[in-house]
Amino acid sequence: QVQLVESGGGSVQAGVFLRLSCAASRFSDDLVCVGWFRQAPGKEREKVAAISFQGGSPRYADSVKGRFTVSQDKAENTLYLQMDSLKPDDTAMYYCAANLIGCSRLWTGRASYWGQGTQVTVTS
């Protein structure tokens, strides 16, 4: 079992940056893909970014491409999401997720593990 705990959210003005962290109880050798999702009030959960646990090119939602960067520190069992040039539309609860079956599946929301979320609020 892998537990995921997000941190780093907050309330900021548009244009600034935030860095979210996702601490894993352990990075299991079985993990294949790790990533971030978000859900705004009244909206469906949407994918944000994902990266293969073994490395490789990350994937991003079109809405965050060029502004957000996903990375991982295996030594620290931590996944990060650097969010630059934040917009009010980025306001949402952000969730860390991981699965055992690959990024293509995680991209459709099929995660084995989910964090509790961290709130990001961006005001204009």
Side-chain angles (χ1 to χ4, degrees):
Q1 189 77 343
V2 176
Q3 292 180 326
L4 305 173
V5 179
E6 302 93 336
S7 62
S11 182
V12 297
Q13 288 191 322
V16 302
F17 69 91
L18 278 177
R19 188 191 196 200
L20 304 184
S21 299
C22 172
S25 55
R26 61 186 182 94
F27 269 174
S28 165
D29 288 340
D30 296 330
L31 289 180
V32 176
C33 188
V34 290
W36 293 91
F37 289 75
R38 68 186 182 185
Q39 187 167 19
K43 295 186 177 181
E44 294 187 353
R45 182 181 61 203
E46 63 174 348
K47 57 201 176 192
V48 175
I51 187 169
S52 170
F53 184 64
Q54 299 302 322
S57 298
R59 60 180 72 187
Y60 298 96
D62 288 343
S63 58
V64 306
K65 202 172 293 184
R67 299 187 299 120
F68 289 13
T69 303
V70 63
S71 62
Q72 57 183 331
D73 185 335
K74 294 180 183 179
E76 296 294 329
N77 288 351
T78 303
L79 180 71
Y80 299 101
L81 184 67
Q82 176 72 29
M83 306 187 296
D84 296 325
S85 303
L86 283 163
K87 305 175 181 180
D89 285 348
D90 295 320
T91 295
M93 184 72 80
Y94 283 72
Y95 298 92
C96 176
N99 79 5
L100 313 177
I101 54 178
C103 286
S104 294
R105 299 295 180 89
L106 188 68
W107 211 231
T108 64
R110 292 184 61 182
S112 304
Y113 308 104
W114 290 94
Q116 294 299 306
T118 185
Q119 178 68 38
V120 173
T121 302
V122 184
T123 57
S124 58

Short mmCIF file of all heavy atoms in Angstrom, two decimals, residues 48-98:
data_model
loop_
_atom_site.label_atom_id
_atom_site.label_comp_id
_atom_site.label_asym_id
_atom_site.label_seq_id
_atom_site.Cartn_x
_atom_site.Cartn_y
_atom_site.Cartn_z
N VAL A 48 -3.80 16.77 -15.12
CA VAL A 48 -2.91 17.92 -15.18
C VAL A 48 -1.56 17.52 -15.77
O VAL A 48 -1.11 18.09 -16.75
CB VAL A 48 -2.72 18.55 -13.79
CG1 VAL A 48 -1.69 19.68 -13.85
CG2 VAL A 48 -4.04 19.04 -13.23
N ALA A 49 -0.91 16.55 -15.13
CA ALA A 49 0.43 16.13 -15.58
C ALA A 49 0.70 14.72 -15.09
O ALA A 49 0.15 14.29 -14.07
CB ALA A 49 1.49 17.08 -15.04
N ALA A 50 1.55 14.01 -15.81
CA ALA A 50 1.92 12.66 -15.42
C ALA A 50 3.32 12.36 -15.92
O ALA A 50 3.77 12.92 -16.94
CB ALA A 50 0.94 11.63 -15.96
N ILE A 51 3.99 11.49 -15.20
CA ILE A 51 5.34 11.10 -15.60
C ILE A 51 5.57 9.65 -15.24
O ILE A 51 5.11 9.18 -14.19
CB ILE A 51 6.39 12.02 -14.93
CG1 ILE A 51 7.80 11.73 -15.47
CG2 ILE A 51 6.36 11.88 -13.42
CD1 ILE A 51 8.82 12.76 -15.05
N SER A 52 6.24 8.94 -16.09
CA SER A 52 6.57 7.55 -15.82
C SER A 52 7.53 7.48 -14.64
O SER A 52 8.48 8.26 -14.55
CB SER A 52 7.22 6.91 -17.05
OG SER A 52 7.77 5.64 -16.72
N PHE A 53 7.29 6.55 -13.74
CA PHE A 53 8.14 6.41 -12.57
C PHE A 53 9.57 6.07 -12.96
O PHE A 53 10.52 6.42 -12.26
CB PHE A 53 7.58 5.32 -11.66
CG PHE A 53 8.32 5.16 -10.37
CD1 PHE A 53 8.36 6.18 -9.45
CD2 PHE A 53 8.99 3.98 -10.09
CE1 PHE A 53 9.04 6.03 -8.26
CE2 PHE A 53 9.68 3.83 -8.91
CZ PHE A 53 9.70 4.86 -7.98
N GLN A 54 9.74 5.43 -14.07
CA GLN A 54 11.07 5.06 -14.53
C GLN A 54 11.73 6.15 -15.37
O GLN A 54 12.83 5.96 -15.87
CB GLN A 54 10.99 3.76 -15.33
CG GLN A 54 10.47 2.57 -14.54
CD GLN A 54 11.32 2.29 -13.31
OE1 GLN A 54 12.54 2.42 -13.35
NE2 GLN A 54 10.70 1.92 -12.22
N GLY A 55 11.07 7.28 -15.50
CA GLY A 55 11.63 8.38 -16.27
C GLY A 55 10.93 8.50 -17.61
O GLY A 55 9.92 7.88 -17.86
N GLY A 56 11.47 9.32 -18.49
CA GLY A 56 10.84 9.54 -19.77
C GLY A 56 10.14 10.88 -19.82
O GLY A 56 10.11 11.62 -18.83
N SER A 57 9.59 11.20 -20.95
CA SER A 57 8.96 12.51 -21.16
C SER A 57 7.64 12.59 -20.41
O SER A 57 6.80 11.70 -20.55
CB SER A 57 8.74 12.74 -22.65
OG SER A 57 9.96 12.76 -23.35
N PRO A 58 7.43 13.64 -19.65
CA PRO A 58 6.15 13.81 -18.98
C PRO A 58 5.08 14.24 -19.98
O PRO A 58 5.39 14.67 -21.08
CB PRO A 58 6.43 14.92 -17.96
CG PRO A 58 7.56 15.69 -18.55
CD PRO A 58 8.39 14.72 -19.31
N ARG A 59 3.84 14.11 -19.58
CA ARG A 59 2.73 14.59 -20.40
C ARG A 59 1.95 15.61 -19.60
O ARG A 59 1.86 15.51 -18.38
CB ARG A 59 1.85 13.45 -20.88
CG ARG A 59 1.20 12.63 -19.80
CD ARG A 59 0.35 11.52 -20.40
NE ARG A 59 1.17 10.47 -20.98
CZ ARG A 59 0.66 9.46 -21.69
NH1 ARG A 59 -0.63 9.40 -21.93
NH2 ARG A 59 1.44 8.52 -22.17
N TYR A 60 1.37 16.59 -20.32
CA TYR A 60 0.63 17.67 -19.68
C TYR A 60 -0.69 17.92 -20.39
O TYR A 60 -0.80 17.74 -21.60
CB TYR A 60 1.46 18.97 -19.74
CG TYR A 60 2.77 18.91 -19.00
CD1 TYR A 60 3.95 18.61 -19.68
CD2 TYR A 60 2.83 19.15 -17.64
CE1 TYR A 60 5.17 18.55 -19.00
CE2 TYR A 60 4.04 19.09 -16.96
CZ TYR A 60 5.20 18.79 -17.66
OH TYR A 60 6.39 18.73 -16.98
N ALA A 61 -1.64 18.38 -19.61
CA ALA A 61 -2.89 18.86 -20.20
C ALA A 61 -2.59 20.12 -20.99
O ALA A 61 -1.71 20.90 -20.62
CB ALA A 61 -3.91 19.13 -19.12
N ASP A 62 -3.32 20.33 -22.06
CA ASP A 62 -3.10 21.51 -22.90
C ASP A 62 -3.24 22.80 -22.10
O ASP A 62 -2.55 23.78 -22.36
CB ASP A 62 -4.08 21.52 -24.07
CG ASP A 62 -3.78 20.45 -25.10
OD1 ASP A 62 -2.64 19.93 -25.10
OD2 ASP A 62 -4.67 20.13 -25.89
N SER A 63 -4.10 22.79 -21.11
CA SER A 63 -4.37 24.01 -20.35
C SER A 63 -3.20 24.44 -19.47
O SER A 63 -3.15 25.59 -19.03
CB SER A 63 -5.61 23.80 -19.48
OG SER A 63 -5.43 22.71 -18.60
N VAL A 64 -2.26 23.54 -19.21
CA VAL A 64 -1.13 23.88 -18.34
C VAL A 64 0.21 23.75 -19.05
O VAL A 64 1.25 24.11 -18.47
CB VAL A 64 -1.12 22.99 -17.08
CG1 VAL A 64 -2.47 23.05 -16.36
CG2 VAL A 64 -0.74 21.55 -17.39
N LYS A 65 0.19 23.28 -20.26
CA LYS A 65 1.43 23.07 -21.00
C LYS A 65 2.19 24.38 -21.14
O LYS A 65 1.63 25.42 -21.49
CB LYS A 65 1.11 22.49 -22.38
CG LYS A 65 2.25 21.75 -23.04
CD LYS A 65 1.76 21.06 -24.30
CE LYS A 65 0.79 19.94 -23.97
NZ LYS A 65 0.38 19.20 -25.20
N GLY A 66 3.49 24.32 -20.82
CA GLY A 66 4.31 25.53 -20.88
C GLY A 66 4.34 26.33 -19.60
O GLY A 66 5.17 27.22 -19.43
N ARG A 67 3.43 26.03 -18.68
CA ARG A 67 3.38 26.75 -17.39
C ARG A 67 3.69 25.85 -16.21
O ARG A 67 4.25 26.30 -15.21
CB ARG A 67 2.00 27.39 -17.20
CG ARG A 67 1.62 28.39 -18.25
CD ARG A 67 0.32 29.11 -17.90
NE ARG A 67 -0.81 28.20 -17.79
CZ ARG A 67 -1.53 28.03 -16.68
NH1 ARG A 67 -1.25 28.70 -15.58
NH2 ARG A 67 -2.55 27.18 -16.68
N PHE A 68 3.29 24.58 -16.30
CA PHE A 68 3.48 23.65 -15.20
C PHE A 68 4.58 22.65 -15.56
O PHE A 68 4.73 22.27 -16.73
CB PHE A 68 2.19 22.86 -14.92
CG PHE A 68 1.09 23.66 -14.30
CD1 PHE A 68 1.13 25.04 -14.24
CD2 PHE A 68 -0.02 23.01 -13.78
CE1 PHE A 68 0.10 25.77 -13.66
CE2 PHE A 68 -1.06 23.71 -13.19
CZ PHE A 68 -1.00 25.09 -13.15
N THR A 69 5.32 22.20 -14.54
CA THR A 69 6.36 21.21 -14.72
C THR A 69 6.26 20.15 -13.63
O THR A 69 6.27 20.49 -12.44
CB THR A 69 7.76 21.86 -14.66
OG1 THR A 69 7.85 22.90 -15.64
CG2 THR A 69 8.84 20.81 -14.94
N VAL A 70 6.17 18.90 -14.04
CA VAL A 70 6.12 17.79 -13.09
C VAL A 70 7.50 17.17 -12.98
O VAL A 70 8.22 17.05 -13.99
CB VAL A 70 5.07 16.74 -13.52
CG1 VAL A 70 5.42 16.11 -14.85
CG2 VAL A 70 4.90 15.68 -12.43
N SER A 71 7.88 16.80 -11.77
CA SER A 71 9.18 16.16 -11.56
C SER A 71 9.08 15.25 -10.35
O SER A 71 8.12 15.32 -9.58
CB SER A 71 10.28 17.21 -11.37
OG SER A 71 10.03 17.99 -10.23
N GLN A 72 10.09 14.40 -10.18
CA GLN A 72 10.08 13.48 -9.05
C GLN A 72 11.47 13.36 -8.47
O GLN A 72 12.46 13.48 -9.18
CB GLN A 72 9.55 12.11 -9.48
CG GLN A 72 10.32 11.47 -10.63
CD GLN A 72 9.69 10.15 -11.05
OE1 GLN A 72 9.08 9.45 -10.26
NE2 GLN A 72 9.85 9.81 -12.32
N ASP A 73 11.52 13.13 -7.19
CA ASP A 73 12.77 12.88 -6.48
C ASP A 73 12.61 11.52 -5.80
O ASP A 73 12.00 11.40 -4.75
CB ASP A 73 13.03 13.98 -5.45
CG ASP A 73 14.37 13.82 -4.77
OD1 ASP A 73 14.89 12.69 -4.69
OD2 ASP A 73 14.90 14.84 -4.28
N LYS A 74 13.15 10.51 -6.43
CA LYS A 74 12.97 9.16 -5.91
C LYS A 74 13.66 8.97 -4.57
O LYS A 74 13.18 8.22 -3.72
CB LYS A 74 13.48 8.14 -6.93
CG LYS A 74 12.69 8.11 -8.22
CD LYS A 74 13.25 7.08 -9.18
CE LYS A 74 12.50 7.09 -10.49
NZ LYS A 74 13.05 6.10 -11.45
N ALA A 75 14.77 9.66 -4.37
CA ALA A 75 15.49 9.53 -3.10
C ALA A 75 14.65 10.05 -1.94
O ALA A 75 14.75 9.56 -0.82
CB ALA A 75 16.82 10.28 -3.17
N GLU A 76 13.81 11.06 -2.24
CA GLU A 76 12.96 11.64 -1.21
C GLU A 76 11.52 11.11 -1.27
O GLU A 76 10.67 11.55 -0.50
CB GLU A 76 12.93 13.17 -1.36
CG GLU A 76 14.29 13.83 -1.13
CD GLU A 76 14.76 13.68 0.30
OE1 GLU A 76 13.92 13.64 1.23
OE2 GLU A 76 15.99 13.59 0.50
N ASN A 77 11.26 10.18 -2.20
CA ASN A 77 9.90 9.64 -2.38
C ASN A 77 8.88 10.77 -2.57
O ASN A 77 7.80 10.76 -1.97
CB ASN A 77 9.49 8.80 -1.17
CG ASN A 77 10.22 7.48 -1.11
OD1 ASN A 77 10.92 7.10 -2.05
ND2 ASN A 77 10.11 6.79 0.00
N THR A 78 9.24 11.74 -3.39
CA THR A 78 8.40 12.92 -3.54
C THR A 78 8.19 13.28 -5.00
O THR A 78 9.11 13.22 -5.82
CB THR A 78 9.02 14.13 -2.80
OG1 THR A 78 9.21 13.79 -1.42
CG2 THR A 78 8.11 15.34 -2.90
N LEU A 79 6.96 13.63 -5.31
CA LEU A 79 6.57 14.12 -6.62
C LEU A 79 6.27 15.61 -6.49
O LEU A 79 5.70 16.04 -5.49
CB LEU A 79 5.32 13.38 -7.11
CG LEU A 79 4.77 13.75 -8.48
CD1 LEU A 79 5.71 13.26 -9.58
CD2 LEU A 79 3.38 13.16 -8.66
N TYR A 80 6.67 16.39 -7.49
CA TYR A 80 6.46 17.83 -7.44
C TYR A 80 5.65 18.32 -8.64
O TYR A 80 5.65 17.69 -9.70
CB TYR A 80 7.81 18.57 -7.45
CG TYR A 80 8.70 18.25 -6.28
CD1 TYR A 80 9.76 17.35 -6.41
CD2 TYR A 80 8.48 18.85 -5.04
CE1 TYR A 80 10.58 17.06 -5.33
CE2 TYR A 80 9.29 18.57 -3.96
CZ TYR A 80 10.33 17.67 -4.11
OH TYR A 80 11.14 17.38 -3.04
N LEU A 81 4.99 19.45 -8.44
CA LEU A 81 4.34 20.14 -9.54
C LEU A 81 4.67 21.62 -9.40
O LEU A 81 4.15 22.29 -8.50
CB LEU A 81 2.83 19.92 -9.54
CG LEU A 81 2.10 20.55 -10.74
CD1 LEU A 81 2.49 19.82 -12.03
CD2 LEU A 81 0.58 20.49 -10.55
N GLN A 82 5.55 22.11 -10.25
CA GLN A 82 5.89 23.52 -10.29
C GLN A 82 4.86 24.22 -11.17
O GLN A 82 4.71 23.87 -12.34
CB GLN A 82 7.29 23.72 -10.86
CG GLN A 82 7.72 25.17 -11.03
CD GLN A 82 8.00 25.85 -9.70
OE1 GLN A 82 8.39 25.22 -8.73
NE2 GLN A 82 7.79 27.17 -9.67
N MET A 83 4.16 25.18 -10.61
CA MET A 83 3.09 25.86 -11.34
C MET A 83 3.46 27.34 -11.47
O MET A 83 3.46 28.07 -10.48
CB MET A 83 1.77 25.72 -10.59
CG MET A 83 1.41 24.27 -10.29
SD MET A 83 -0.25 24.10 -9.58
CE MET A 83 -0.05 24.99 -8.04
N ASP A 84 3.79 27.74 -12.67
CA ASP A 84 4.16 29.14 -12.96
C ASP A 84 3.02 29.86 -13.66
O ASP A 84 2.13 29.24 -14.24
CB ASP A 84 5.42 29.17 -13.82
CG ASP A 84 6.62 28.57 -13.11
OD1 ASP A 84 6.74 28.75 -11.89
OD2 ASP A 84 7.46 27.93 -13.79
N SER A 85 3.09 31.18 -13.62
CA SER A 85 2.10 32.02 -14.32
C SER A 85 0.68 31.55 -14.02
O SER A 85 -0.12 31.32 -14.94
CB SER A 85 2.36 31.99 -15.83
OG SER A 85 3.67 32.43 -16.12
N LEU A 86 0.37 31.43 -12.76
CA LEU A 86 -0.94 30.92 -12.37
C LEU A 86 -2.06 31.84 -12.82
O LEU A 86 -1.92 33.08 -12.85
CB LEU A 86 -0.99 30.72 -10.86
CG LEU A 86 -0.28 29.46 -10.36
CD1 LEU A 86 -0.02 29.53 -8.88
CD2 LEU A 86 -1.09 28.22 -10.72
N LYS A 87 -3.18 31.22 -13.17
CA LYS A 87 -4.37 31.94 -13.62
C LYS A 87 -5.55 31.60 -12.71
O LYS A 87 -5.56 30.54 -12.08
CB LYS A 87 -4.72 31.51 -15.04
CG LYS A 87 -3.62 31.66 -16.06
CD LYS A 87 -4.05 31.08 -17.40
CE LYS A 87 -2.96 31.20 -18.44
NZ LYS A 87 -3.38 30.62 -19.74
N PRO A 88 -6.55 32.45 -12.66
CA PRO A 88 -7.74 32.11 -11.86
C PRO A 88 -8.35 30.77 -12.25
O PRO A 88 -8.89 30.06 -11.40
CB PRO A 88 -8.69 33.27 -12.16
CG PRO A 88 -7.77 34.43 -12.41
CD PRO A 88 -6.61 33.84 -13.15
N ASP A 89 -8.27 30.40 -13.53
CA ASP A 89 -8.80 29.11 -13.98
C ASP A 89 -8.05 27.92 -13.41
O ASP A 89 -8.51 26.78 -13.52
CB ASP A 89 -8.77 29.02 -15.51
CG ASP A 89 -9.85 29.85 -16.17
OD1 ASP A 89 -10.77 30.30 -15.45
OD2 ASP A 89 -9.77 30.06 -17.39
N ASP A 90 -6.89 28.16 -12.80
CA ASP A 90 -6.14 27.07 -12.16
C ASP A 90 -6.67 26.77 -10.76
O ASP A 90 -6.21 25.82 -10.12
CB ASP A 90 -4.66 27.43 -12.07
CG ASP A 90 -4.00 27.56 -13.44
OD1 ASP A 90 -4.31 26.73 -14.31
OD2 ASP A 90 -3.18 28.49 -13.62
N THR A 91 -7.61 27.56 -10.28
CA THR A 91 -8.18 27.34 -8.95
C THR A 91 -8.86 25.98 -8.89
O THR A 91 -9.74 25.67 -9.70
CB THR A 91 -9.19 28.44 -8.62
OG1 THR A 91 -8.50 29.69 -8.52
CG2 THR A 91 -9.89 28.15 -7.30
N ALA A 92 -8.43 25.15 -7.95
CA ALA A 92 -8.96 23.79 -7.84
C ALA A 92 -8.31 23.09 -6.65
O ALA A 92 -7.33 23.58 -6.09
CB ALA A 92 -8.69 22.98 -9.11
N MET A 93 -8.87 21.95 -6.31
CA MET A 93 -8.19 21.02 -5.39
C MET A 93 -7.28 20.16 -6.26
O MET A 93 -7.74 19.60 -7.26
CB MET A 93 -9.20 20.16 -4.66
CG MET A 93 -8.59 19.24 -3.62
SD MET A 93 -8.00 20.13 -2.17
CE MET A 93 -9.55 20.36 -1.30
N TYR A 94 -6.03 20.08 -5.88
CA TYR A 94 -5.05 19.32 -6.64
C TYR A 94 -4.74 18.01 -5.93
O TYR A 94 -4.45 17.99 -4.73
CB TYR A 94 -3.78 20.14 -6.83
CG TYR A 94 -3.92 21.19 -7.89
CD1 TYR A 94 -4.70 22.32 -7.68
CD2 TYR A 94 -3.29 21.06 -9.13
CE1 TYR A 94 -4.85 23.29 -8.66
CE2 TYR A 94 -3.43 22.03 -10.12
CZ TYR A 94 -4.21 23.13 -9.88
OH TYR A 94 -4.37 24.09 -10.85
N TYR A 95 -4.78 16.92 -6.71
CA TYR A 95 -4.58 15.59 -6.17
C TYR A 95 -3.38 14.92 -6.82
O TYR A 95 -3.18 15.01 -8.03
CB TYR A 95 -5.81 14.71 -6.42
CG TYR A 95 -7.06 15.21 -5.75
CD1 TYR A 95 -7.93 16.05 -6.43
CD2 TYR A 95 -7.38 14.83 -4.45
CE1 TYR A 95 -9.09 16.51 -5.82
CE2 TYR A 95 -8.54 15.28 -3.83
CZ TYR A 95 -9.39 16.12 -4.53
OH TYR A 95 -10.52 16.58 -3.92
N CYS A 96 -2.64 14.23 -6.00
CA CYS A 96 -1.55 13.39 -6.48
C CYS A 96 -2.11 11.98 -6.70
O CYS A 96 -2.99 11.53 -5.95
CB CYS A 96 -0.46 13.39 -5.41
SG CYS A 96 0.93 12.32 -5.73
N ALA A 97 -1.61 11.30 -7.71
CA ALA A 97 -2.10 9.96 -8.01
C ALA A 97 -0.97 9.09 -8.54
O ALA A 97 0.01 9.60 -9.08
CB ALA A 97 -3.23 10.02 -9.04
N ALA A 98 -1.15 7.78 -8.39
CA ALA A 98 -0.15 6.85 -8.90
C ALA A 98 -0.83 5.55 -9.29
O ALA A 98 -1.88 5.20 -8.73
CB ALA A 98 0.92 6.58 -7.84
#
